[in-house]
């Protein structure tokens, strides 16, 4: 069992270790150590109901690596805004982007004090690029962009990464408006990359696992189907999906080294460009 990580003194008052938190449970599934007993217990409970959840989390993370590499190498993006970043798990966004374009600038944003404390301690950039960390909530897109604008030039293309975060925003919180306000402020040529949980893949085991999650975790999960995901976050916002469109993570530009016939995982992913 992993040892209990002591919270940094400056954040201790804000970190609730009595209830599981989505970022720390995800960290457990990814093999990280920045989690608590309560997070591991929920993660293990969900895994018993849905044994493929670890593969799902890791497939989503692998998509993020490929998407950032595509954006830096093929789309020429040099600015990245990762919102709802979660616990640092190498390789991180700046490591992938700066490995291709060393001058890349990356801003991480999260509203979890534990995530921010670990990010500031572990995520260090090497010149000529840069990293910055924001205590900001996706539900406040104007504030996110205002703070990010201190490190990024919003007059030039920016890649916004919403990895495993939009499914924690319900329709009553107007997730479409939030994403629209983010992308509306950005320059043409900016991109949006999203991973989003779905219950359309995996059958009853997935539904049961998501219900178990929602009974226990601080932030409930709101899965969406492929049609709704595509319409809400890409089509309605006038964004142009890049190939291969909306697919399960293993099928998004897997590369020649990927194992053949990888099974679907209950995620939809996509990358789109602002014209």
């Amino acid at each position: 069992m992993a040892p209990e990580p002591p919270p940094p003194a400056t954040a201790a008052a804000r970190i609730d270790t009595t209830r599981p938190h989505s970022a720390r449970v995800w960290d457990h599934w990814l093999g990280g150590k920045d989690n608590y007993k309560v997070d591991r217990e929920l993660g293990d409970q969900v895994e018993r109901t849905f044994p493929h959840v670890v593969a799902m989390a890791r497939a989503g993370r692998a998509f993020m690596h490929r998407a950032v590499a595509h954006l830096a190498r093929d789309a020429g993006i040099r600015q990245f805004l990762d919102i709802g970043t979660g616990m640092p798990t190498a390789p991180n966004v700046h490591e992938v982007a700066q490995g291709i374009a060393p001058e890349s600038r990356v801003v991480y944003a999260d509203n979890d004090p534990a995530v921010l404390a670990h990010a500031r301690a572990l995520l260090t950039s090497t010149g000529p690029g840069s990293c910055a960390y924001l205590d900001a909530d996706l539900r406040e897109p104007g504030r996110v962009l205002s703070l990010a604008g201190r490190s990024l030039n919003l007059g030039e293309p920016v890649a916004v990464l919403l990895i495993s975060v939009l499914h924690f925003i319900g329709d009553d919180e107007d997730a479409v408006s939030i994403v629209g306000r983010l992308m509306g402020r950005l320059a043409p040529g900016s991109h949006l990359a999203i991973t989003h949980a779905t219950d359309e893949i995996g059958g009853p085991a997935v539904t049961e696992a998501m219900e178990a999650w929602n009974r226990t975790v601080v932030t409930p999960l709101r899965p969406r189907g492929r049609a709704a995901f595509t319409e809400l976050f890409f089509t309605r916002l006038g964004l142009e999906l890049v190939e291969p469109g909306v697919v399960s993570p293993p099928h998004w530009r897997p590369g020649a080294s990927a194992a053949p016939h990888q099974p679907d995982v209950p995620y939809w992913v996509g990358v789109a460009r602002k014209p």
Side-chain angles (χ1 to χ4, degrees):
M1 178 177 294
E4 295 298 310
T10 56
R14 295 175 56 201
I15 299 175
D16 182 359
T17 63
T18 66
R19 296 188 65 189
H21 190 280
S22 56
R24 299 192 304 256
V25 175
W26 230 257
D27 177 72
H28 171 55
W29 286 335
L30 291 172
K33 298 180 180 179
D34 297 317
N35 51 74
Y36 296 88
K37 181 180 179 182
V38 67
D39 306 306
R40 295 189 289 273
E41 287 176 344
L42 175 61
D44 293 344
Q45 175 189 343
V46 173
E47 188 177 359
R48 284 192 294 271
T49 304
F50 179 48
H52 302 298
V53 71
V54 172
M56 179 183 81
R58 294 179 180 180
R61 185 78 181 179
F63 159 79
M64 183 272 284
H65 297 156
R66 297 195 304 275
V68 170
H70 160 73
L71 292 166
R73 183 183 57 243
D74 304 324
I77 298 294
R78 297 296 180 263
Q79 302 187 110
F80 296 82
L81 175 56
D82 183 5
I83 307 175
T85 183
M87 293 294 185
T89 305
N92 295 284
V93 172
H94 72 283
E95 293 167 317
V96 177
Q98 292 176 357
I100 295 169
E103 69 274 23
S104 296
R105 289 178 284 173
V106 178
V107 172
Y108 296 97
D110 208 295
N111 67 336
D112 184 314
V115 168
L116 289 165
H118 286 286
R120 291 188 175 111
L122 298 176
L123 300 182
T124 56
S125 174
T126 56
S130 66
C131 284
Y133 320 98
L134 309 180
D135 184 355
D137 193 324
L138 174 61
R139 295 172 179 84
E140 299 177 311
R143 182 171 183 272
V144 171
L145 290 175
S146 177
L147 294 174
R150 299 173 182 176
S151 300
L152 305 177
N153 178 0
L154 302 186
E156 297 293 331
V158 176
V160 175
L161 310 176
L162 298 175
I163 305 300
S164 299
V165 63
L166 280 176
H167 47 232
F168 297 120
I169 306 291
D171 290 340
D172 58 330
E173 297 177 289
D174 203 358
V176 180
S177 175
I178 290 171
V179 179
R181 287 157 64 193
L182 279 172
M183 299 305 296
R185 289 266 306 273
L186 299 181
S190 293
H191 284 68
L192 175 66
I194 307 178
T195 69
H196 195 298
T198 184
D199 54 7
E200 289 185 334
I201 297 172
V206 169
T207 302
E208 292 173 15
M210 292 181 178
E211 289 173 351
W213 175 279
N214 287 346
R215 285 193 299 268
T216 311
V217 81
V218 174
T219 309
L221 185 71
R222 201 284 189 199
R224 292 180 171 94
R226 184 180 187 180
F229 171 67
T230 305
E231 167 66 21
L232 291 175
F233 301 120
F234 298 118
T235 307
R236 188 177 297 184
L237 300 179
L239 303 180
E240 301 171 344
L241 278 163
V242 305
E243 291 295 332
V246 171
V247 293
S248 186
H251 306 299
W252 197 92
R253 304 190 179 208
S257 62
H261 311 301
Q262 295 185 73
D264 289 343
V265 297
Y267 260 172
W268 297 125
V269 303
V271 175
R273 180 182 182 276
K274 178 178 178 178

